[in-house]
Amino acid sequence: MKYRVTSLLLFFIALGVSAQEQLKYGDFDSWLSRDIKESKIIGGETKTLYEIAPSKKWDGKKAYVNQGGSPWATSNVMAKVAGIVKTNTSVYREARGGGYCAKLLTHVEGVKVLGIVNIHVLAAGSVYLGEMVEPITSSSNPMSKLNYGIPFSEKPKAVQFDYKVQLSGKPDRIRQTGFSAVKKVAGADMPNVICLLQKRWEDEKGNIYARRIGTAIQRFSKNTDWVNAKQLEIHYGDITHEPFYKSYMNLFNGGDDQKYAMNSKGKMVPVQEVEWGTADDKPTHLCLQFASSFGGAYIGAEGTTLWVDNVKLIY
C-alpha cells in the first residue's frame, strides 16, 4: 500500500506553487459495511461495522483487509478470543452536507458472558493511515494490532482537514481495561491529530527503527462547531527547542501510545523512533491519525468525540 502523488501535483510542486491533494477516500464519502454476528454466549447480536473504503458489503465472517486501495484503517474491529466473536464500534459514518464524515467516539464497551461475567472496557475512536490486523485474538497490548503508517516519500507543508469537537466535560480520564480496577488518570481528555514523516529501516533481526523527519501534533481542548480547512503545519527536523514544542511531540519509543508496524518477516514490532532527522532528510513513511482520546489504549473519558472530514495534504 504505497501512496503516490499525481503528476500534476508534482508539476505544481516543482514550480513552487502551493497545491493540495486529498488523500484517497479522505472525503469520507465512501464506506464499506460489514455485518458481524457475535457469539450466542454473549447475546448473538448482529453488529454493523463501517470501514473507509469502496461502498460495498463485506462478508462479516472474514477478517477485514483494506479494500480498493484505501490507505485508511479504523478502530472498528472484530475480535475472536477463545472462539468467541465480539465486535467494537467506535468510528461511525455520519451524514454531513451531501455526503458523510467520520465520527470518532470514546465509549465504554461492555460484554456479558452467560449473564454472569460482566466486562467493561474503555475504547477510543480512531482513523489512521495503515491497517488493522484482524481478527483480534487477545486484549493485551492492543496498539500492537495497528500496522501504523504507509510508504511515502514526499514532504508536504501541512495537513488540512475539517473537524468538530465535543469534550466529555469531566476533569479527569480513566483507565479501564476490563480485567483490573478502573483507575483515575489525571487531566481532562482531548481528541488529537498526529501527523509524522519518518525514515524507517529494519535490522537483520526484524526490528524497525525510525528517524523523525516531520512533526505535526495537536490536541483539541475546547468544544467547537465545524471548523473547515484547518491547516496543521508540518515542522521538519528537530523541534525540541522550538517555542511551540510540547513534551507529547517527542519521539515515540515505548509507553502506552507506542506505535507498531509489520516487518519484512510478517511480524508486528514496535517502531522505535531513535533520533531526530533533518529538514533535508527524505521520508519513507507517512503516519496520520485522528483519535477521540489521547494517551493510549484504554485511557480516556466517555463521551469525548471528534468529527473529521476532507483530509488533504498541502504542498
Side-chain angles (χ1 to χ4, degrees), residues 208-260:
I208 296 178
Y209 302 94
R211 180 178 296 125
R212 172 85 68 80
I213 295 171
T215 306
I217 301 176
Q218 182 170 337
R219 294 178 179 175
F220 300 99
S221 60
K222 296 180 181 179
N223 291 329
T224 70
D225 201 346
W226 276 104
V227 176
N228 295 325
K230 161 72 176 180
Q231 287 195 8
L232 186 59
E233 182 181 356
I234 299 172
H235 300 277
Y236 287 88
D238 185 347
I239 62 171
T240 55
H241 301 294
E242 298 292 341
F244 59 80
Y245 174 78
K246 306 290 185 184
S247 59
Y248 57 76
M249 298 176 181
N250 205 355
L251 304 178
F252 287 103
N253 196 357
D256 289 325
D257 205 22
Q258 172 66 54
K259 312 303 181 186
Y260 284 74

Side-chain angles (χ1 to χ4, degrees), residues 272-302:
Q272 303 175 57
E273 287 192 316
V274 294
E275 61 186 4
W276 293 93
T278 71
D280 296 324
D281 280 330
K282 186 176 181 178
T284 62
H285 286 78
L286 168 64
C287 306
L288 178 59
Q289 179 182 28
F290 297 90
S292 58
S293 294
F294 76 95
Y298 306 126
I299 298 173
E302 191 171 12

Side-chain angles (χ1 to χ4, degrees), residues 64 94 130 141 154 183 218 241 255 285 311:
Y64 179 72
E94 184 166 295
N141 196 9
E154 304 302 325
K183 296 180 180 179
Q218 182 170 337
H241 301 294
H285 286 78
V311 181

Side-chain angles (χ1 to χ4, degrees), residues 11-144:
F11 173 73
F12 282 118
I13 294 171
L15 290 179
V17 177
S18 179
Q20 59 181 247
E21 185 169 45
Q22 186 164 273
L23 285 162
K24 191 170 187 179
Y25 299 106
D27 58 5
F28 300 123
D29 285 340
S30 180
W31 294 78
L32 174 150
S33 64
R34 47 187 184 140
D35 296 330
I36 299 174
K37 185 174 178 59
E38 297 183 332
S39 294
K40 289 183 179 180
I41 196 173
I42 58 172
E45 292 185 50
T46 297
K47 302 288 182 66
T48 300
L49 275 61
Y50 286 96
E51 305 293 343
I52 305 160
S55 299
K56 64 178 183 179
K57 283 278 189 180
W58 180 261
D59 184 352
K61 296 178 181 179
K62 295 165 51 180
Y64 179 72
V65 292
N66 290 41
Q67 295 293 296
S70 175
W72 296 97
T74 78
S75 53
N76 294 343
V77 295
M78 174 179 68
K80 192 171 184 180
V81 181
I84 298 174
V85 175
K86 177 75 177 74
T87 66
N88 171 64
T89 302
S90 50
V91 174
Y92 299 85
R93 181 190 71 177
E94 184 166 295
R96 184 188 181 215
Y100 297 100
C101 66
K103 177 184 177 182
L104 320 179
L105 174 66
T106 298
H107 69 120
V108 173
E109 180 73 26
V111 57
K112 187 177 290 186
V113 181
L114 292 177
I116 301 172
V117 179
N118 203 358
I119 299 171
H120 291 84
V121 175
L122 186 130
S126 174
V127 298
Y128 59 95
L129 297 179
E131 301 169 312
M132 177 68 74
V133 181
E134 279 194 347
I136 306 301
T137 56
S138 78
S139 61
S140 64
N141 196 9
M143 299 301 290
S144 68

